[in-house]
Amino acid sequence: MRATRSLSLRPAGVALLAGVTVAGALAQSGPPGSCRLDEAQQLMGVTPPPRERIDVLLAECSRASSQDWRVDWLRGVAARDAQRLDEAIVHLQAARRLAPAERAPVLDLAVTHEWRGETRQARSLYDELLRAQPDARDALLGAARVARAQGRTADARAIYLQLLQRDAADLDAINGMGWTNVAELRLDDARRRFDDAAARSPGNAEAAVGMARLDEQWRYRLELLAGRSSLAAGDTDTALAGLLINRSSTDQIELVLGRNGRELPSERLTDPTPLPSWTARVGYRSRTEGGLDWATAYELRDRSVGQTEHRIELRAGSRFTGAAQGLQWFASVRQGFPAPWRNRLASVGLAADVAPHWSVAGTFYAGESALGGSSKAIAFDAYRETGAMGSFLNFGVGYSPEPDNTSVHARWVLPIAPRQALVFSVERRSLGRELEALVGWRTYWR
């Protein structure tokens, strides 16, 4: 579950989230008929809320009393709950300008920045609230959620411990500690926290989501593949073994060992050197507090003739925030050496979420090789993924103009049992009518 979409962000009463009581709001509302803030506020607590009616009432209030900060505040909260996040930011910022001493607009503005994935802005606002009131529970919970979202699990843990020392039955803190343990892969500790929350509040929705997420967690993933490549220069058998190790929710180690039966040249769009007899790869991937994903890898490609080829690769990428948070950019550069294997490949691309579980990506490649000169290629891919151990499907097409070469490729991970899956991979290239196919098995464990 994304930290910025935590169930703890959706209170039963909007006014209570912001620290303003319903009675207080009613006492300040205007005369009946001019601005029915009380009715709008009561309707916002209904499940599901009648959004059109709420919008009409708040629009009336805006016309009747444009300088009342509570009008913009409630309009911002209503817009946020309707997922109109840009509109919510505008109204909540207006409420803050009208009433700079009020906590409510600042708190709800921070929550809205969380929902937009803008963790830096949210953290700044929670820090502002905590400087004024260091023990404010709502701001502490928000600061902890942001810390989790940024990968600062030690900071999140310290906040939840502070809240639990104050009240051992604080369900938000108990569940929050559970999510922190999930992020750190302290899975037994996470289960104990979610069990505690469920025991204190039978049917607790966030605890149930946490328990379901625990069933999807893994520390190790092993993949074994074997197949055959039919290349323009001949046929060869191929075998691959890959191990992924999750150190935490933000850090991962990659180990790969590959074997080819023959050292044949191929017409791959982005790989000009002949197949090696042996391939060994070690990589590391991480995510920074600011949301930047980065990775580095070293690959050794051993051949029976000539020097061993070495490759170093650097990759980076990040999701956009705000209205564009469904978009992600990525880029990489790979350098091979020594001569005659000196080659470089750079790439840049953009991915977009287009539907639940579905995303698409476009990637541009530019290469330079001592063997094949310069090259360019472009690829378009579609992805469908359902959960950490669910099914995965990728299919796409790539094209290189010089030489004229089109690649059609697909990869499918099909779960067949708990923590077990079959893996299928195939690529067909027009140049040389080359075909590569692999089939294998994947398993996960803790």
Side-chain angles (χ1 to χ4, degrees):
M1 184 173 69
R2 288 175 51 191
T4 55
R5 297 283 180 175
S6 168
L7 295 176
S8 63
L9 292 184
R10 289 194 174 275
V14 175
L16 295 181
L17 170 69
V20 177
T21 66
V22 174
L26 294 178
Q28 300 178 64
S29 59
S34 60
C35 177
R36 289 169 286 179
L37 270 178
D38 53 346
E39 183 180 348
Q41 192 163 1
Q42 289 169 357
L43 291 175
M44 288 171 71
V46 174
T47 304
R51 303 195 190 283
E52 291 185 3
R53 176 60 177 165
I54 292 171
D55 287 343
V56 168
L57 291 172
L58 293 177
E60 291 177 357
C61 287
S62 183
R63 290 191 294 269
S65 180
S66 60
Q67 295 305 305
D68 189 329
W69 67 270
R70 291 168 301 113
V71 175
D72 276 308
W73 165 55
L74 289 177
R75 293 192 74 178
V77 173
R80 184 189 67 208
D81 289 347
Q83 297 298 317
R84 304 193 304 268
L85 301 184
D86 291 344
E87 179 184 342
I89 291 287
V90 171
H91 286 300
L92 291 169
Q93 287 177 338
R96 188 185 183 194
R97 286 192 298 270
L98 289 169
E102 295 289 343
R103 294 183 70 255
V106 181
L107 183 63
D108 283 306
L109 184 59
V111 171
T112 307
H113 280 301
E114 281 190 77
W115 289 20
R116 283 164 55 102
E118 297 167 343
T119 55
R120 290 182 180 178
Q121 293 91 323
R123 181 182 182 182
S124 176
L125 291 169
Y126 287 129
D127 287 346
E128 176 184 329
L129 290 168
L130 290 171
R131 282 193 296 270
Q133 190 177 342
D135 61 345
R137 177 179 176 275
D138 46 17
L140 285 169
L141 287 171
R145 290 193 304 268
V146 169
R148 280 165 34 205
Q150 293 181 330
R152 296 183 291 110
T153 54
D155 292 344
R157 181 177 297 277
I159 294 172
Y160 290 130
L161 284 174
Q162 175 185 343
L163 290 169
L164 290 171
Q165 287 171 357
R166 185 190 309 174
D167 179 7
D170 188 328
L171 284 177
D172 288 324
I174 294 171
N175 281 322
M177 187 67 85
W179 287 112
T180 303
N181 287 329
V182 170
E184 295 179 344
L185 294 180
R186 301 185 184 187
L187 304 181
D188 292 337
D189 290 342
R191 187 173 298 277
R192 282 192 288 270
R193 293 291 183 177
F194 292 133
D195 281 340
D196 184 18
R200 295 177 185 273
S201 175
N204 182 269
E206 188 164 3
V209 172
M211 295 296 285
R213 177 60 62 85
L214 278 177
D215 293 335
E216 300 179 351
Q217 299 304 304
W218 52 272
R219 285 185 179 274
Y220 307 98
R221 190 188 82 186
L222 177 66
E223 195 167 280
L224 302 175
L225 299 168
R228 190 164 181 81
S229 299
S230 178
L231 307 177
D235 297 343
T236 182
D237 296 322
T238 300
L240 286 170
L243 177 66
L244 287 182
I245 304 171
N246 278 332
R247 298 184 64 244
S248 70
S249 63
T250 59
D251 294 82
Q252 188 177 76
I253 296 172
E254 172 193 32
L255 302 171
V256 179
L257 183 65
R259 169 69 175 170
N260 292 301
R262 300 174 65 187
E263 298 176 3
L264 299 174
S266 73
E267 300 298 340
R268 294 179 178 177
L269 271 63
T270 59
D271 198 345
T273 64
L275 299 180
S277 292
W278 289 96
T279 301
R281 177 184 173 92
V282 57
Y284 191 87
R285 177 182 176 182
S286 186
R287 187 175 68 247
T288 67
E289 289 184 13
L292 177 70
D293 285 293
W294 65 270
T296 184
Y298 164 74
E299 184 175 311
L300 181 147
R301 298 163 66 85
D302 184 59
R303 298 183 176 86
S304 59
V305 178
Q307 289 183 289
T308 297
E309 181 183 0
H310 304 271
R311 289 179 174 180
I312 295 176
E313 182 178 2
L314 297 174
R315 287 180 286 140
S318 179
R319 281 192 172 274
F320 293 95
T321 59
Q325 62 180 312
L327 296 176
Q328 180 178 2
W329 66 269
F330 52 90
S332 71
V333 61
R334 189 191 73 199
Q335 178 67 54
F337 59 92
W341 311 122
R342 194 172 302 281
N343 61 85
R344 179 181 296 117
L345 179 69
S347 72
V348 62
L350 188 67
D353 300 329
V354 294
H357 308 299
W358 280 96
S359 62
V360 296
T363 311
F364 173 75
Y365 298 90
E368 191 73 32
S369 169
L371 295 178
S374 60
S375 63
K376 291 180 174 59
I378 190 167
F380 297 96
D381 287 87
Y383 302 88
R384 186 180 190 276
E385 186 170 13
T386 57
M389 291 187 294
S391 64
F392 173 83
L393 176 64
N394 161 230
F395 56 90
V397 59
Y399 175 69
S400 173
E402 295 181 6
D404 188 358
N405 193 6
T406 300
S407 163
V408 179
H409 52 270
R411 180 176 174 85
W412 186 25
V413 179
L414 176 64
I416 56 173
R419 300 183 179 273
Q420 310 287 329
L422 295 178
V423 182
F424 305 91
S425 178
V426 63
E427 181 177 3
R428 171 73 174 183
R429 294 182 288 272
S430 62
L431 189 60
R433 297 182 178 179
E434 296 189 337
L435 178 66
E436 297 183 9
L438 293 167
V439 61
W441 167 77
R442 174 186 285 186
T443 185
Y444 308 82
W445 73 96
R446 295 180 176 177

